[in-house]
Amino acid sequence: MTGTLVLAGTPIGDVADAPPRLAAELAAADVIAAEDTRRLRRLTQALDVTPAGRIVSYFEGNEAARTPELADALAGGARVLLVTDAGMPSVSDPGYRLVAAAVERDIKVTAVPGPSAVLTALAVSGLPVDRFCFEGFPPRKAGERRSRLREVADERRTLVYFEAPHRLDDTLAAMAEIFGAERRAAVCRELTKTYEEVKRGTLGELVPWAAEGVRGEITIVVEGAPESGPQELGAEELVRRVRIREEAGERRKEAIAAVAAEAGLPKREVFDAVVAAKNAGVGQGPESVGPAPDAVKTKR
């Protein structure tokens, strides 16, 4: 008989949010794999639970090496409980490798539902929650971060990110540039904790606020891209979209054609906006804008 892998959600702040089954699982597990064993001890003390099983660390640094050991324990019939510092395992936390290994061996995987910073932030953000996508932590390097943001610049679903407080202002600034300064967002800080704060506004408004310094655990919720028609996109927005595509590696001609298709406009109108921006001194990559799209040159 094989064992069972149990993924257990833990409080993201207030320990009173611990799901009722968590205490029972902590007491009954043969092995508890914890992202931080010190935090686990504090949690068990708060829940008045004395684990009977073996406790091992399972974090980013040893996840790859420890997964085979835990998979073997599961194959031998053990009930392995996986907990992270806060929220659900595998959601930007250790867990995916162990789940994949268990599934590969046809071992049962179940979960103890619990608090989630993603869903909590969505619920209090005031932004649409009927459709959303979770993007995890943006890349730390500025260039990689900008590239990743460009990939979802036209995503219409609400976007959710985690971010470190010391990188929040840079990330919001990059979002304001690539998504547009008027895009609505909410920065959720220290959710369910004593100093919980939800700061709502446009990305342009949130950048100077974040520059003053923000502390704590951060979740960012960003409004999805609007469904724009021809009359809704001004020249500045058209130029911005062309520039984003060029920075992502597209040739100008293809970028103009793609933006025109998105906006439902003639390619000539987008081309004229790019030329006007260049003449006004707005940087647009290559010095020459080249011939207008669909310009026909015949020589016989």
Side-chain angles (χ1 to χ4, degrees):
M1 296 253 333
T2 57
T4 300
L5 173 61
V6 183
L7 310 177
T10 56
I12 59 176
D14 191 336
V15 72
D17 293 333
R21 279 180 51 206
L22 179 59
E25 291 288 353
L26 286 167
D30 298 305
V31 181
I32 301 175
E35 184 177 11
D36 187 325
T37 56
R38 293 167 299 180
R39 290 198 181 191
L40 173 65
R41 291 192 190 95
R42 290 197 291 269
L43 177 62
T44 56
Q45 290 170 0
L47 297 178
D48 194 23
V49 174
T50 301
R54 180 167 59 97
I55 297 174
V56 299
S57 63
Y58 189 72
F59 59 99
E60 184 179 1
N62 72 354
E63 185 178 4
R66 180 143 282 170
T67 292
E69 171 192 333
L70 293 173
D72 288 342
L74 286 164
R79 189 172 185 85
V80 176
L81 180 68
L82 177 60
V83 294
T84 54
D85 291 347
M88 285 298 296
S90 293
V91 182
S92 282
D93 278 332
Y96 169 75
R97 284 189 176 92
L98 185 54
V99 172
V103 170
E104 185 177 354
R105 296 194 186 196
D106 200 24
I107 294 168
K108 180 180 178 182
V109 179
T110 188
V112 177
S116 165
V118 175
L119 297 180
T120 303
L122 273 167
V124 302
S125 68
L127 298 172
V129 298
D130 54 330
R131 298 175 67 233
F132 69 90
C133 56
F134 175 57
E135 287 289 307
F137 282 90
R140 297 183 180 185
K141 294 182 179 180
E144 294 176 5
R145 180 168 56 236
R146 287 167 56 83
S147 178
R148 186 74 57 81
L149 292 176
R150 290 190 201 103
E151 293 176 4
V152 294
D154 295 322
E155 173 60 61
R156 292 179 179 173
R157 293 174 294 178
T158 299
L159 302 164
V160 184
Y161 294 88
F162 288 159
E163 187 53 289
H166 62 280
R167 290 193 295 270
L168 178 62
D169 55 341
D170 288 339
T171 293
L172 289 175
M175 288 178 173
E177 178 186 351
I178 294 170
F179 295 163
E182 296 305 312
R183 186 86 70 90
R184 293 185 299 161
V187 177
C188 305
R189 185 180 74 85
E190 295 289 88
L191 288 169
T192 78
K193 300 178 183 178
T194 301
Y195 298 105
E196 175 180 288
E197 179 182 19
V198 180
K199 186 72 174 178
R200 304 176 181 87
T202 65
L203 288 169
E205 292 168 343
L206 292 172
V207 170
W209 167 77
E212 296 178 1
V214 177
R215 301 177 64 182
E217 300 287 336
I218 303 293
T219 305
I220 308 170
V221 184
V222 185
E223 180 182 34
E227 295 188 27
S228 302
Q231 71 285 357
E232 298 177 65
L233 292 181
E236 183 178 345
E237 175 64 12
L238 295 173
V239 171
R240 186 183 72 85
R241 292 190 178 200
V242 170
R243 176 169 53 80
I244 288 172
R245 287 181 171 276
E246 283 190 289
E247 289 179 352
E250 287 189 22
R251 295 174 56 194
R252 174 157 296 176
K253 181 178 179 180
E254 283 73 22
I256 288 174
V259 171
E262 290 171 358
L265 294 171
K267 287 183 279 187
R268 181 75 205 202
E269 187 167 334
V270 181
F271 174 80
D272 289 344
V274 173
V275 172
K278 175 182 178 294
N279 292 338
V282 179
Q284 282 295 306
E287 188 62 27
S288 172
V289 297
D294 297 331
V296 178
K297 295 183 179 180
T298 59
K299 186 177 183 180
R300 297 184 183 277

